[in-house]
Amino acid sequence: MSVNIEARLAELGLTLPEPAAPVASYVPAVEVGGMLHISGQLPFVNGTLVTGRLGEDVSLEQGIEAAQACGVMILAQAKAALGSLDRVTRVVKLGGFVNSTGDFTDQPKVVNGASDLMMAVFGEAGRHARSAVGVPVLPLGAAVEVDAILQVSA
């Protein structure tokens, strides 16, 4: 990839936060077989965890912003694991989990917050497979959680 990802982040006005520490018995990222698996990331906006349930007390717009924040944290974890985001050659898959009511059906729109970010940052290499599912609760009451699989160069 000829694009410098740090420069792309600056163009987008994004600053990566310190990667969040795990809240249980796992590691934030594992690199194996040319793939970087990023554990589920929670949404921090301005340093505050976005909590609540879509369809109840979190709007669609807030959910999209929360998913984008998860995407930013995925990038922060990837940079910490790889040393440089320029090693990412493809976003392979995102898994999106949306804390939502039983009648809320816009999970795909919510997770677009993370998907659109990956495409903005990585261009065509940011296009990926994805799941977007509704769940009744997430860790720490988070509104959204997103995990990722990234293809990386040596």
Side-chain angles (χ1 to χ4, degrees):
M1 183 180 304
S2 61
V3 176
N4 178 290
I5 299 303
E6 296 292 330
R8 177 75 57 85
L9 290 172
E11 288 172 13
L12 295 170
L14 293 173
T15 302
L16 297 182
E18 284 296 315
V23 297
S25 298
Y26 63 91
V27 295
V30 173
E31 184 179 354
V32 62
M35 300 289 181
L36 182 67
H37 297 257
I38 307 274
S39 296
Q41 299 299 305
L42 301 181
F44 289 89
V45 175
N46 299 321
T48 302
L49 180 64
V50 179
T51 60
R53 178 169 289 131
L54 278 288
E56 189 174 279
D57 56 356
V58 177
S59 71
L60 177 60
E61 294 74 21
Q62 290 169 318
I64 293 168
E65 181 183 23
Q68 181 180 26
C70 293
V72 169
M73 192 58 75
I74 286 169
L75 296 175
Q77 294 290 4
K79 182 177 179 184
L82 300 171
S84 171
L85 289 174
D86 291 328
R87 286 188 55 203
V88 176
T89 58
R90 179 79 194 244
V91 179
V92 176
K93 184 168 190 221
L94 296 182
F97 305 90
V98 181
N99 183 350
S100 53
T101 60
D103 61 349
F104 182 83
T105 59
D106 282 335
Q107 290 84 2
K109 290 179 184 176
V110 171
V111 181
N112 279 348
S115 291
D116 293 347
L117 174 69
M118 296 303 157
M119 289 183 279
V121 170
F122 296 106
E124 191 62 26
R127 296 179 61 81
H128 53 272
R130 187 183 86 180
S131 57
V133 298
V135 297
V137 66
L138 284 169
L140 307 177
V144 181
E145 180 176 349
V146 181
D147 61 19
I149 302 170
L150 310 174
Q151 182 181 39
V152 298
S153 62

